[in-house]
Amino acid sequence: MSRRRTLGTTKKIALLVSAAAVAGGGAFVMASTSNAAPTPKSASDSTVCLGLATALSNNQKFIADQRANPDAQSEARIANREAVVAEIERKQEASGCVVGESAQDSQTAQPSQPAESAAPSGPAQSAEASEPAESAPAGNAGDGAAASGQQVCNGSTVTLSGEGGAPAASSNQFPVGTKLKVTNLDNDKSTTVEVTSVSGSCALLNNAAFEQVREPGKFLIRRAVIEKVG
């Protein structure tokens, strides 16, 4: 009787130890799952990520164009835009987007999901403020010949260049000194800015100008009206 009681007690202890081990393993799995990093969102999943991917694409295209057709100021412009690219990539990481994802152009397909909020970090400072004025590249006349007061860049989305400084725009259609009025139809906010440099888009706003017309948390204006006013 005594031996059977001893064996029974030993078996009970073994069963309790096994149960504790299984429970501990389950808790470890749950903890590991809950601590797993979230999967970054792509431009097709988020309006925020699409706006940042478009801004990145615009700057990368500008850098490629400068390298393909360099002039005396290209090295300084490229250095400035590379700093802007790094700033946009930091914003992508902070917003939970795929870092380094670049849209093909500003007409990339829009996402089906609603926009998420994201707090942008401080903008990179533009070195182009001290550069001499630039002219729009030849062969891109297009809307550049439009009369004052005429709507231009029809169908274009508007995003930010990532550059700092006073409110301004850059364009591959309009020469430096042209004044453009950009209206966001989603919130009826508008800003009038001067083109100060060349970019890879019909109209690209710097950070300060974009802040004047943006909706909170968005890096892309999908419904915009752009007018040449001077």
Side-chain angles (χ1 to χ4, degrees):
M1 295 291 291
S2 174
R3 179 177 177 77
R4 287 201 333 231
R5 274 199 211 96
T6 302
L7 288 174
T9 302
T10 302
K11 287 181 179 179
K12 288 179 182 179
I13 293 173
L15 288 171
L16 288 172
V17 170
S18 298
V22 170
F28 176 77
V29 171
M30 290 177 65
S32 299
T33 303
S34 62
N35 291 331
T39 303
K41 298 185 291 289
S42 69
S44 61
D45 299 327
S46 163
T47 301
V48 170
C49 297
L50 174 58
L52 291 170
T54 303
L56 188 62
S57 177
N58 288 330
N59 282 282
Q60 290 174 336
K61 184 178 186 300
F62 179 84
I63 291 171
D65 289 344
Q66 288 293 309
R67 286 175 174 161
N69 302 285
D71 59 28
Q73 298 297 323
S74 290
E75 186 175 348
R77 296 190 197 105
I78 289 172
N80 175 65
R81 292 305 178 97
E82 286 177 339
V84 171
V85 165
E87 177 63 27
I88 292 172
E89 289 178 341
R90 283 193 289 271
K91 289 181 180 179
Q92 287 179 319
E93 183 176 12
S95 301
C97 305
V98 176
V99 177
E101 181 181 22
S102 174
Q104 292 299 311
D105 51 43
S106 60
Q107 303 302 317
T108 302
Q110 300 163 1
S112 57
Q113 296 186 4
E116 298 92 5
S117 295
S121 56
Q125 293 300 312
S126 172
E128 290 188 322
S130 59
E131 295 178 7
E134 304 171 75
S135 298
N140 285 328
D143 288 326
S148 180
Q150 184 174 340
Q151 185 172 326
V152 294
C153 305
N154 292 329
S156 294
T157 56
V158 176
T159 187
L160 75 168
S161 66
E163 297 177 287
S170 56
S171 175
N172 65 357
Q173 299 284 322
F174 305 100
V176 168
T178 303
K179 289 187 178 180
L180 301 175
K181 180 181 179 181
V182 179
T183 301
N184 183 348
L185 297 178
D186 289 327
N187 59 11
D188 292 325
K189 291 184 178 180
S190 63
T191 183
T192 299
V193 291
E194 184 175 315
V195 174
T196 59
S197 62
V198 179
S199 70
S201 298
C202 185
L204 190 64
L205 300 179
N206 71 352
N207 288 351
F210 194 79
E211 285 295 329
Q212 293 178 341
V213 294
R214 71 181 290 181
E215 292 182 271
K218 293 187 178 181
F219 292 96
L220 180 72
I221 300 173
R222 294 181 291 178
R223 297 176 61 242
V225 171
I226 304 172
E227 301 168 84
K228 180 181 177 182
V229 295

